Amino acid sequence: MAYNRYSDFLKIKYNEKVYKIPINLDVTCPNRDGNCGNGGCTYCGDIGVGYEMIDNNVNIKTQLEKNMANIKKKYNAKYFIAYLQNYSNTYIEIEKFKNVLDELIHPDVVGVSISTRPDCINDKYLAIIEEFKNKTNYDICIELGLQTVNYHSLAKINRGHTLAEFIDATLRIKQFGFEIAVHLILNLPWDTITDVIENAKVMSAMNITYVKMHALYIVKDTLMAQQYLDEQIELITVEEYKERVITFLRYLHPNIVIQRVIGRVPDEYAVFANWGVSWWKIHDEIIDTMKQNNFVQGDLCNYLNGKAVKKFV
């Protein structure tokens, strides 16, 4: 395979089919409620990323059971990773957070993945997760929405944090030994191929466990949708996006696992999504190009551990 694929990684790790299943909590984001900003990121819709999730009014146990039953039937999966997916899942009262984790305990669950923001990582919450891990022996992954290492672009999308908070969060999570997944958008309107390379370099230098990439999709009724419709921003072509993914993968350390190279959103929610091309077609064309050119993940990862002095050692 041209890159270190998540599904392969899970099969090797657990020796069984393992699937992530989304759990939808009634939480929000500090960038939406006035804590560190208002209105959220310019691309973020009113329901976050919860397009195909069970309503958060349904209790956690029921969501867990329904999702597991569906995936077992559809994919013959045996084990599951419970994924607290929508919005910022550590932006919640501490006692309530403890109770949420306990609701995820199930004999078929082998891990918990917690999606949040870099500015929602705190040592007290990490200590609670550590207690939960010690009690259940589950694998724990903290998923950080970063989107780009370009802090100028972060300001333009009203992200509400900079690169510094991401570095701080990563270092704190590593002290507890949890896995880290980072979400990146490789085609923000202000980012260049240089930013894409720097994304890969920072992920490698920080020794991130997993990376999730997706192309920017523009959700209806957002500030970015208005900017797009008013032609205030311009997006790269699908060919340029594929080039960016390939470049990113080549500069990324080969040990980092890729959870996805492109995302998807239902068409009815978006004014722009993946250039009107199916996500799997873009994915397959990326892989074909890499194979044709003998490119593999990490073949340009030669910049760590003092590149300038390597000729002397």
Side-chain angles (χ1 to χ4, degrees):
M1 191 66 179
Y3 68 87
N4 194 1
R5 190 169 58 178
Y6 186 51
S7 57
D8 297 334
F9 173 85
L10 291 178
K11 186 65 183 295
I12 293 170
K13 184 175 184 178
Y14 297 105
N15 200 33
E16 293 285 353
K17 281 189 178 181
V18 178
Y19 276 79
K20 290 175 74 173
I21 52 173
I23 303 296
N24 191 6
L25 301 186
D26 183 17
V27 294
T28 184
C29 167
N31 198 27
R32 300 180 69 90
D33 68 359
N35 189 340
C36 69
N38 289 289
C41 301
T42 61
Y43 57 79
C44 187
D46 290 337
I47 62 172
V49 295
Y51 300 108
E52 298 173 337
M53 297 167 61
I54 297 174
D55 192 278
N56 59 30
N57 290 321
V58 178
N59 70 68
I60 293 172
K61 288 288 188 184
T62 301
Q63 289 188 52
L64 196 64
E65 293 286 352
K66 283 187 174 181
N67 280 325
M68 286 194 299
N70 181 48
I71 297 298
K72 280 181 180 179
K73 181 179 179 181
K74 191 172 182 180
Y75 298 109
N76 196 31
K78 185 170 183 179
Y79 298 123
F80 301 90
I81 296 170
Y83 181 21
L84 303 178
Q85 181 178 8
N86 206 21
Y87 288 129
S88 304
N89 290 275
T90 55
Y91 189 57
I92 184 175
E93 298 88 348
I94 285 182
E95 288 303 316
K96 187 175 180 181
F97 184 61
K98 286 182 181 179
N99 294 334
V100 165
L101 292 177
D102 286 338
E103 288 292 305
L104 299 174
I105 296 175
H106 188 282
D108 292 339
V109 170
V110 294
V112 171
S113 193
I114 304 167
S115 182
T116 190
R117 290 165 50 92
D119 55 1
C120 293
I121 295 297
N122 177 276
D123 290 345
K124 290 184 178 179
Y125 286 77
L126 293 172
I128 290 169
I129 299 170
E130 183 179 47
E131 291 176 7
F132 175 75
K133 176 178 173 61
N134 291 337
K135 177 169 63 176
T136 61
N137 201 34
Y138 286 171
D139 291 320
I140 302 293
C141 179
I142 310 295
E143 301 206 13
L144 297 175
L146 173 62
Q147 316 314 343
T148 178
V149 300
N150 183 335
Y151 47 88
H152 300 292
S153 294
L154 291 176
K156 283 178 167 48
I157 62 174
N158 192 40
R159 185 66 189 161
H161 67 75
T162 68
L163 182 61
E165 289 90 333
F166 167 75
I167 295 171
D168 174 62
T170 299
L171 294 175
R172 292 181 186 279
I173 294 168
K174 283 185 171 294
Q175 289 178 345
F176 286 83
F178 305 142
E179 298 175 334
I180 301 173
V182 178
H183 296 219
L184 294 169
I185 301 172
L186 293 191
N187 65 322
L188 287 171
W190 311 274
D191 280 7
T192 67
I193 194 70
T194 301
D195 297 303
V196 170
I197 293 170
E198 194 66 11
N199 279 332
K201 288 185 173 183
V202 172
M203 297 306 104
S204 300
M206 298 300 293
N207 194 25
I208 298 304
T209 320
Y210 309 107
V211 166
K212 275 186 178 179
M213 291 170 273
H214 68 81
L216 177 66
Y217 48 78
I218 301 180
V219 179
K220 293 177 180 178
D221 301 320
T222 60
L223 177 57
M224 187 171 283
Q226 193 60 53
Q227 292 173 329
Y228 176 73
L229 294 173
D230 291 343
E231 299 183 348
Q232 296 176 23
I233 57 175
E234 185 176 349
L235 303 182
I236 62 173
T237 67
V238 65
E239 293 302 322
E240 289 174 300
Y241 179 76
K242 289 185 286 186
E243 178 187 358
R244 288 190 179 193
V245 171
I246 292 169
T247 301
F248 176 87
L249 289 172
R250 297 187 68 198
Y251 276 92
L252 189 70
H253 195 283
N255 288 348
I256 296 176
V257 178
I258 307 302
Q259 292 199 4
R260 71 181 180 210
V261 299
I262 189 165
R264 53 183 171 175
V265 61
D267 290 339
E268 62 265 28
Y269 292 101
V271 297
F272 175 88
N274 294 348
W275 300 271
V277 182
S278 63
W279 68 269
W280 57 263
K281 185 174 189 296
I282 295 173
H283 171 273
D284 289 352
E285 287 174 351
I286 288 169
I287 301 306
D288 289 344
T289 299
M290 293 185 72
K291 288 181 177 178
Q292 290 167 11
N293 290 277
N294 293 318
F295 296 154
V296 294
Q297 180 180 334
D299 62 14
L300 295 178
C301 183
N302 61 354
Y303 46 83
L304 301 175
N305 194 24
K307 177 182 178 181
V309 296
K310 286 184 179 178
K311 67 178 182 178
F312 299 124
V313 296

